[in-house]
Amino acid sequence: CTMKGKSIKPQLVASNDRFCRFLEEYCPVVTETYYPTIWCWEGRVQTLLRPFITSRPQVQYRNELIKTADGGQISLDWFDNNDSSYYPDASTRPTVLLLPGLTGTSKESYILHMIYQSETLGYRCVVFNNRGIAGEELLTPRTYCAANTEDLEAVIHHVHSLHPSAPFMAAGVSMGGMLLLNYLGKTGRDTPLMAAAIFSAGWNVFESVESLEKPLNWLLFNYYLTTCLQSSISRHRQMLEKLFDMDLVMKARTVREFDKQFTSVMFGYRSIDDYYEDSSPCRKLKSVGIPVLCLNSVDDVFSPAHAIPVETAKQNANVALVLTSCGGHIGFLEGIWPRKCTYMDRVFKQFVQAVFEHGNKIFSM
């Protein structure tokens, strides 16, 4: 995307004609020209400004703590939408599971916007907060990572068992999208989810960390993200000190150093390369067994364009990629003053509605 902030139609990559036609008819936003905010001409600018510019819709959550098999706990934030006029019966109210990014919680503005969109459609949402992030105590010395899907499996099973008759979808952002893709690659068709939406996922972790180590990207993103990771675990120091050299972990200056000293060790990987290999969703995409729509911008420094698995996507009839020329990482700002709705919000709203209202047509068109 040049300085001129030019608008280009997103590239839709999908080998399945029926899925393509379904999206063109019921989720037309993926074929419309995206007009990025002209003064956010560059991906890094979009990425940096979005949290400050976009509004924060008011959402009242109901919190639920669920126990895990290893003795830990997971914090879920429910938006029940009991005032839903479209779906007054809670047992069949369509439900969207939302997965925030690294160190993100149910309070992120992009999560609040997805809930706002879902509320207008009459749907229920539940946010999966990764362990130890949302203010709850760590009961065991274990947090989370993009490769280990056990907590996500437990949450999906729990939500589905509470509302077995409710149509069920998931949407993941950034690391939440990577985790969701890794789960779908592992489970294939054996999941209660009808479909999934993925936003700004890092497809190849080796390429992502390398991109984030370029000097300007380190300065703008990597150092801050590393300090976020450190502060998210520092309040659990007593619990984690049993297994980790926390002084060493707190000296990390990059995400790679943090993962080397902490995340890869916690989840039992022999090396950081083994962990990054296992975390990269590009390796699992061929096994995804339900319809997934994945939105990426080619100027996202967290997920470099050359690492987006376009050829693999073309080989799986369940996968559609939507690639924009601008938008950065979870940016997708549009219009002159982009407070309200981003292009990502519109893709989310249309795709979720398309699946819940017309999902039976995806494979019958």
Side-chain angles (χ1 to χ4, degrees):
C1 202
T2 64
M3 285 285 204
K4 294 194 283 291
K6 67 181 178 211
S7 322
I8 300 175
K9 269 194 176 184
Q11 182 191 356
L12 178 59
V13 178
S15 64
N16 182 339
D17 285 343
R18 282 183 294 194
F19 197 4
C20 255
R21 286 202 304 275
F22 174 83
L23 291 171
E24 284 162 4
E25 183 162 348
Y26 298 109
C27 188
V29 64
V30 302
T31 61
E32 292 166 8
T33 305
Y34 156 54
Y35 294 94
T37 297
I38 201 152
W39 45 272
C40 293
W41 65 88
E42 210 255 5
R44 286 178 284 223
V45 181
Q46 287 243 4
T47 306
L48 288 167
L49 289 182
R50 183 204 48 79
F52 301 103
I53 293 172
T54 51
S55 61
R56 301 180 63 81
Q58 288 295 306
V59 174
Q60 288 288 190
Y61 288 118
R62 171 177 63 82
N63 183 259
E64 180 188 20
L65 290 172
I66 64 169
K67 291 280 180 277
T68 58
D70 70 325
Q73 62 181 359
I74 300 168
S75 170
L76 299 179
D77 280 315
W78 289 86
F79 173 73
D80 295 302
N81 206 358
N82 287 326
D83 300 330
S84 170
S85 53
Y86 297 114
Y87 298 96
D89 180 355
S91 69
T92 54
R93 186 174 303 143
T95 303
V96 190
L97 174 66
L98 301 174
L99 289 75
L102 193 65
T103 75
T105 68
S106 59
K107 297 184 178 71
E108 304 308 316
S109 67
Y110 56 81
I111 294 288
L112 299 173
H113 276 269
M114 287 179 177
I115 289 177
Y116 175 72
Q117 303 287 357
S118 303
E119 180 182 16
T120 62
L121 297 167
Y123 307 150
R124 169 173 47 222
C125 294
V126 53
V127 186
F128 166 33
N129 297 295
N130 286 299
R131 284 200 210 192
I133 294 291
E136 83 286 7
E137 289 307 310
L138 274 188
L139 303 182
T140 59
R142 168 174 164 158
T143 57
Y144 64 95
C145 74
N148 188 294
T149 59
E150 290 166 357
D151 282 0
L152 177 56
E153 286 164 47
V155 168
I156 287 173
H157 175 77
H158 173 73
V159 173
H160 182 59
S161 65
L162 288 176
H163 307 288
S165 306
F168 190 18
M169 272 185 79
V173 179
S174 190
M175 194 212 78
M178 296 161 68
L179 182 63
L180 184 51
L181 282 164
N182 286 333
Y183 160 81
L184 292 172
K186 183 176 164 185
T187 55
R189 285 192 171 169
D190 187 19
T191 171
L193 299 174
M194 297 170 65
I198 313 284
F199 301 103
S200 294
W203 288 97
N204 181 321
V205 182
F206 296 99
E207 299 289 349
S208 295
V209 291
E210 196 170 303
S211 167
L212 287 171
E213 282 164 2
K214 291 177 179 168
L216 183 59
N217 295 341
W218 178 82
L219 192 69
L220 293 176
F221 304 113
N222 199 330
Y223 183 68
Y224 174 70
L225 200 53
T226 307
T227 57
C228 284
L229 285 163
Q230 288 163 330
S231 65
S232 74
I233 61 166
S234 63
R235 64 181 203 88
H236 304 297
R237 189 168 181 137
Q238 270 185 307
M239 173 61 76
L240 296 168
E241 243 159 5
K242 298 170 185 174
L243 294 182
F244 302 97
D245 180 344
M246 291 297 282
D247 289 333
L248 203 55
V249 173
M250 290 304 175
K251 286 194 178 97
R253 286 292 167 266
T254 64
V255 171
R256 191 196 302 260
E257 286 173 10
F258 181 89
D259 285 340
K260 186 175 182 183
Q261 300 297 344
F262 185 77
T263 322
S264 61
V265 179
M266 171 177 284
F267 288 95
Y269 289 97
R270 283 203 325 272
S271 69
I272 189 166
D273 283 1
D274 286 358
Y275 167 52
Y276 281 170
E277 179 88 22
D278 207 21
S279 298
S280 299
C282 57
R283 321 234 179 254
K284 327 271 195 326
L285 191 60
K286 59 182 182 298
S287 313
V288 169
I290 62 167
V292 293
L293 181 67
C294 309
L295 175 67
N296 282 90
S297 173
V298 297
D299 68 355
D300 179 353
V301 298
F302 288 75
S303 189
H306 62 267
I308 298 171
V310 172
E311 292 312 310
T312 315
K314 286 178 183 169
Q315 288 157 24
N316 185 336
N318 292 300
V319 176
L321 301 181
V322 178
L323 306 177
T324 60
S325 53
C326 316
H329 187 70
I330 334 174
F332 301 103
L333 300 170
E334 56 186 355
I336 295 298
W337 187 238
R339 285 226 3 115
K340 288 284 186 281
C341 196
T342 66
Y343 180 74
M344 176 176 120
D345 297 333
R346 294 197 296 134
V347 172
F348 169 81
K349 183 178 185 179
Q350 286 191 14
F351 183 63
V352 170
Q353 185 173 21
V355 171
F356 283 149
E357 319 282 333
H358 310 284
N360 56 335
K361 298 188 181 121
I362 292 185
F363 295 112
S364 62
M365 285 179 98

